[in-house]
Amino acid sequence: MAFLELQELSKSFGRTRAVERLSLEVEQGEFLTLLGPSGCGKTTILRLVAGFEQADAGRILLDGEEITTRPANRRPMGMVFQSYALFPHMTAEQNVAFGLRLRRLSPTLIHRRCEELLALVGLADRAHNYPHQLSGGQQQRVALARALAVEPKVLLLDEPLSALDAAVRVTLREEIRRIQQQLGMTVIYVTHDQEEALAISDRIAVMARGRLEQLGAPEEIYRRPRTVFVAGFVGASTRLPARLERAADGHCRLGEILLRVPPQPELSDGAAVLLVVRPELVTLQQLEEADGVAVDRSQSQEQENLLTGIVELRTFLGAVTRFRVRADGGQLFTVDLPGLQARTLVPGQRVLLAFPPEACLVLPYGESEAEAAAGRSGRAAVVGQVSPEREPQPEHA
Amino acid sequence: MRSLFRPRHRKPGQDVGQPSQHLANEGGLLPARLALALALLYLLIPLAATLVFGLSGSHGWGDLSSLGAVFGDPDFWQTLLTSLGLAAGTTVLVILLLTPTVYQVHLRLPQVQPLLEALALLPFAVPPIVLGTGLLQEYNGAATNSPLVDLLSLGLVPLLSNVFPLLDLPLLLICAYVIVALPFAYRAIDNSLRAVDVRVLTEAAASLGAGWWRTLLLVILPNIWPGILTAALLTFSTVMGELTLASLFNTYTFPIYLNMTGQNDPHRAALLAVLSFLLTLLCVLGMVPATRPRTGGGRAALPGQIEGAGPR
């Protein structure tokens, strides 16, 4: 039996279904992240677990005990809010001590515990500062110490880093992970930032429209997305609608081109699929004008998929440079190249695109999914992607 | 040629690039001071004139016999104590009734806020004489046969007026004062609650184990304290100066004493008016230190206002 179980949870606000029959299990000491776009229901789940909202249906079990209807102040949960929610009239130490005072611990014990916790979050010298005298990052550290003070069985973090600047966000998320591992704390973390989710989680639950799309380890979510939504939401990718010609052999038709993909024995010939290719798995090679038609496909096609195209956009992202390349067949590809390789490529240049069959993730792609993907990807925040690439790619095929 | 705008006494390293501050120091402050002086004169001249008139008895300026007569009058002390008691009772009742109610509305029933605002403004539309007459009619037993009153008050009015002699108790007058003071007190408390994130603070307190009352007492009240004190002060001064309801309820209060004295001895009435003003002023000054936020004197940083320093 899992430490925290959510069984068939449903919650509506008026006519809006925020969470729909969601089941989820969290193990003790696990760091689980609820990831999804705004309005997908991830914060509602956290609030249901915290007891700030009551579920319309379903059950919540903690350590085998049902807590579905238990008031928030009687649940062994700690909560860290996006807006810090520190009590403005109390110092950092008094904020941390608040929960301990309610438990009527001795003043000596409270003082010692506050000192330990403020030291844990690196704010031992700020104990007597009021919230307004602290920076955003420091306030959130105090909020974390305050939540940890009451030794909750589950720590809930609701987009705790959203209000902080980029540098503080990275530092603090590493701190949160360090503290979680140091204390062996069970954590549910809500974010819409996929990079944050991939960086600190043991498992990620990707959500859309109040439902669980996929649950798995960060690498699994990134490398093997199971749905079109997850493929589009987590990480940058090129998404190409295609049709399987010989599913068992992994032959796939993309317009006029025949691509090699991993064999798909479970799919039938002629099935509509979506090919998902991560940008770092595609390579680019500069072509001279005359070479454009002289690519000897017969030799290399067995190993790699080769296409020719023109660089449309070049975006420098620091460690990598991102290219938008329009293939001769009209498809748009997103390609990430390390700095050195990217140096010579500029917009307008003809290039050879190459990617191995294993780089192609094949997802069944019906009409409804196509519509859903088109609808979702407009809202989905994809870190690192330049805005033109956020538009759904399949329309160009 | 020497520039006219050259600073004559510049110290080494002194910053001269702040023209707006310079203006504020030299040119901007004088009109402000002048305006303040005029406002003070406007307020103080009538008060001083009243005081001078009060102290100008039959023996000329500086006649303290009126003052002695005021303090020697047992009615003065009796009415003052009655009014202070009524004001204190009303203030306590207003704060006890309104604070949890408005907090609960902010927290759980935000959709009811417009209704509450309309109700809070209603006493402005109903003159005290109408309110007083209505209350007296309802509670003297004459109207308790009305099924409408019975229904609207959920049976409370006939019960109270039949079982308890409410008309003889100051409680009914205090209740009437609560209604009169409602618009001022509600606005002060409501504004304070709007200034803090009630929901998030309540949820944070709940996640640490605090129930509703503890959250209200330990988290919400300290953050809306200035609003509570403003509400208390406004209620207190409203009751201290209220005449119509007290007359209708046949209660001998300080404003009635002031009114009656004014008809017989205008010098004493003038002194009483000054004393009344000083009493209110003392109340205000007494509350000022308590209205200062206990957060180190600054304003809390809002989420999203990120200082460049980051975590240290």
Side-chain angles (χ1 to χ4, degrees), chain B residues 175-188:
Chain B
C175 289
Y177 282 150
V178 167
I179 296 168
V180 171
L182 194 68
F184 313 108
Y186 171 79
R187 186 57 55 202

Side-chain angles (χ1 to χ4, degrees), chain B residues 196-228:
Chain B
V196 293
D197 196 340
V198 171
R199 204 183 78 160
V200 170
L201 287 181
T202 304
E203 287 175 355
S207 74
L208 296 166
W212 194 86
W213 276 108
R214 276 184 171 185
T215 304
L216 178 63
L217 291 175
L218 301 175
V219 177
I220 302 299
L221 273 187
N223 283 297
I224 61 165
W225 195 236
I228 301 273

